[in-house]
Amino acid sequence: MAKVSSYFCGLDHHVNNVSIGADGMFLLFSAYLVFAMQAGFGMLCAGSVRRKNTVDIVLTHIMNAAVGAMSYYLVGFTFAFGRSSNGFIGAHSFAKPDDKAINPNAQPGAWLFQWTFAVAAASITTGSITERTQFTTYILCSTFLTAFVYPVVSHWVWAPSGWLSAANVRNKFLGVGMVDFAGSGVVHMTGAIAGFWGSWIEGPRIGRFDMRGNPKEMRGHSPILEVLGTLLLWFGWYGLTTGSVLATISPSGIANNVLVARTVITTTLAGGAASVTVLLARKSMTGHWMVEDACSGLIAGFTAVTAGCSVIEPWAAVVLGFLAAWVLIGMNRLALKIRYDDPLNAFQRHGGCGLLGIIFVGLLAKKEYLLQTLRTSDNSPYGLLYGGGGRLLAAQVTGAICITAWTSVTMGTLFYALNNVVLLRISEEEEAAGLDVVSHGRVLDEYRDELRLRRLESGSFTIRHFPGPERGTNNDSQRGQSMVEGQTAIES
């Protein structure tokens, strides 16, 4: 009898180890998918800007990940998920990515997974301020956002001790907490609001609006890169949403495959519905089928569904995608009216549609799905339109307001201070020449040939050569670079 008992104890231990290993690999694989979104953001941004700024923006995304790794390791992860008695910010075990030292309940690989979310928020911000921002400013903003601003928000909503957290079993806000499953508010709204203040304070790009305030078209140079970036984001979004389940086996021993499958289905449906809606709506407005509209719609739908992908039904995801499309269109029009210039429409897509997703959970979170997601059996409030009362909706709205206020105060202050000490925006001469030339010592052959041709055709401007080897050198990247001065702004 003792041998049988020992056998089953050993078997139970073995099964437990297999379960822990499966959960760890699931989370790590999800982290790899989310990190692939950095390539997506990079390609989308590179295609959405003018050719003369492509090197600048792709380098920015590399640095978002690299700088974010350092800042999130030193303080960010602890601020986000460290144990706390005040519910505002985590503490203890700084610069120790040992998950158990910070949070005994954390899954193996939690640091890597959460780091990918932090740098995703930073990438949203940098997209809003691209084409006219000093490179050092990108670094400062990315560091501050991933080290402090974003971690505080994620602590509120996702940490077990966060004051807004639905996982806070001792003192849930309004009895349910804020439900933001994969980050419509925590990631997307935070990044978008930060980007809004940066873009608003430094002002629109030269030539984006005429003297009367009428907008002028400034399309990106490569729709192909935009499509590639969007598809990479689509692929990575599956890691963002399904990885937020955190484990393949629930604490009760029940497989989470149904929950994972639901997040995949709702994510796909919301993105598809939004893309089709934006494409058709814009076709009726402009008379053209625009690939940029299809890409924008997809991202808008994905952003909106990220908060509630695990708690809404598939038909509701389609409705949400349809609404996200019109929110995007409406916010784009509003941006033009107030002369707000965001080369990536990041605030409109991630801010406006992120807010829609947060509110939508309060309206259409299904009770059965909500209890399964929160892994509880209590009688928590659920969607208002399902008869669950208004407490969940109130928690969602409160969370959105607090995220907006916190990000506005912190990042708005930073951008305002940088602007006052002339560390935010580049000069008009530099903007005309392009950041690839003035900041990174690069110029494309086509752009160089264009400068030479215009120099021959007109005397209304001059070309100033930056110090460097002559044209005959073997290393083309080291040749003398040029910057335009005068009345004619050269666009590439």
Side-chain angles (χ1 to χ4, degrees), residues 133-138 140 417-426:
T133 304
Q134 297 184 37
F135 188 75
T136 51
T137 298
Y138 289 126
L140 290 172
L418 291 173
N419 189 57
N420 280 350
V421 296
V422 199
L423 286 177
L424 181 57
R425 184 161 183 159
I426 60 177

Side-chain angles (χ1 to χ4, degrees), residues 204 207-216 335-340:
R208 183 66 177 92
F209 298 93
D210 62 22
M211 296 297 293
R212 296 182 179 180
N214 298 317
K216 298 175 66 177
L336 294 179
K337 287 185 178 296
I338 64 175
R339 300 185 65 183
Y340 172 72

Side-chain angles (χ1 to χ4, degrees), residues 427 429-443 447-448 451 462-471 477-485:
S427 68
E429 289 181 348
E430 293 171 328
E431 188 173 342
L435 284 161
D436 290 359
V437 175
V438 299
S439 295
H440 309 291
R442 301 290 293 269
V443 62
Y447 184 54
R448 184 187 291 112
L451 293 176
T462 61
I463 307 296
R464 187 177 75 209
H465 289 277
F466 283 33
E470 295 300 322
R471 177 72 181 177
S477 64
Q478 297 298 319
R479 294 172 187 155
Q481 309 300 333
S482 302
M483 185 172 71
V484 178
E485 296 178 332

Side-chain angles (χ1 to χ4, degrees), residues 259-316:
L259 181 58
V260 170
R262 184 163 64 245
T263 65
V264 172
I265 292 170
T266 54
T267 299
T268 304
L269 290 176
S275 182
V276 171
T277 303
V278 172
L279 186 66
L280 292 175
R282 290 283 295 164
K283 171 62 169 64
S284 67
M285 297 173 186
T286 65
H288 301 287
W289 301 101
M290 303 294 291
V291 65
E292 296 90 344
D293 295 331
C295 292
S296 289
L298 271 170
I299 297 172
F302 290 151
T303 299
V305 78
T306 298
C309 56
S310 65
V311 299
I312 64 174
E313 296 186 80
W315 67 264

Side-chain angles (χ1 to χ4, degrees), residues 219-456:
R219 289 185 182 175
H221 80 282
S222 177
I224 295 175
L225 287 179
E226 290 186 55
V227 171
L228 175 61
T230 301
L231 292 176
L232 284 171
L233 286 172
W234 189 340
F235 179 64
W237 228 289
Y238 290 134
L240 189 80
T241 54
T242 61
S244 296
V245 176
L246 299 180
T248 55
I249 306 295
S250 70
S252 61
I254 301 174
N256 280 331
N257 60 310
V258 174
L259 181 58
V260 170
R262 184 163 64 245
T263 65
V264 172
I265 292 170
T266 54
T267 299
T268 304
L269 290 176
S275 182
V276 171
T277 303
V278 172
L279 186 66
L280 292 175
R282 290 283 295 164
K283 171 62 169 64
S284 67
M285 297 173 186
T286 65
H288 301 287
W289 301 101
M290 303 294 291
V291 65
E292 296 90 344
D293 295 331
C295 292
S296 289
L298 271 170
I299 297 172
F302 290 151
T303 299
V305 78
T306 298
C309 56
S310 65
V311 299
I312 64 174
E313 296 186 80
W315 67 264
V318 175
V319 173
L320 178 57
F322 176 80
L323 295 176
W326 287 106
V327 167
L328 174 62
I329 293 171
M331 290 198 66
N332 282 338
R333 288 194 170 188
L334 177 61
L336 294 179
K337 287 185 178 296
I338 64 175
R339 300 185 65 183
Y340 172 72
D341 182 23
D342 185 332
L344 273 296
N345 296 329
F347 175 68
Q348 296 93 303
R349 289 191 297 218
H350 299 276
C353 296
L355 175 61
L356 171 66
I358 291 295
I359 294 174
F360 198 81
V361 170
L363 297 174
L364 282 170
K366 190 174 180 180
K367 182 177 181 180
E368 175 189 349
Y369 295 168
L370 186 64
L371 296 179
Q372 185 182 29
T373 298
L374 298 180
R375 296 168 182 169
T376 181
S377 59
D378 61 13
N379 193 26
S380 298
Y382 48 98
L384 176 65
L385 299 184
Y386 279 111
R391 281 193 291 167
L392 177 57
L393 179 61
Q396 300 297 102
V397 173
T398 301
I401 292 172
C402 291
I403 290 172
T404 302
W406 168 254
T407 310
S408 296
V409 170
T410 52
M411 294 302 296
T413 300
L414 176 64
F415 282 120
Y416 181 77
L418 291 173
N419 189 57
N420 280 350
V421 296
V422 199
L423 286 177
L424 181 57
R425 184 161 183 159
I426 60 177
S427 68
E428 292 185 4
E429 289 181 348
E430 293 171 328
E431 188 173 342
L435 284 161
D436 290 359
V437 175
V438 299
S439 295
H440 309 291
R442 301 290 293 269
V443 62
L444 297 175
D445 287 336
E446 304 95 288
Y447 184 54
R448 184 187 291 112
D449 293 340
E450 179 185 359
L451 293 176
R452 186 181 297 108
L453 178 62
R454 295 197 182 194
R455 186 180 186 186
L456 292 173

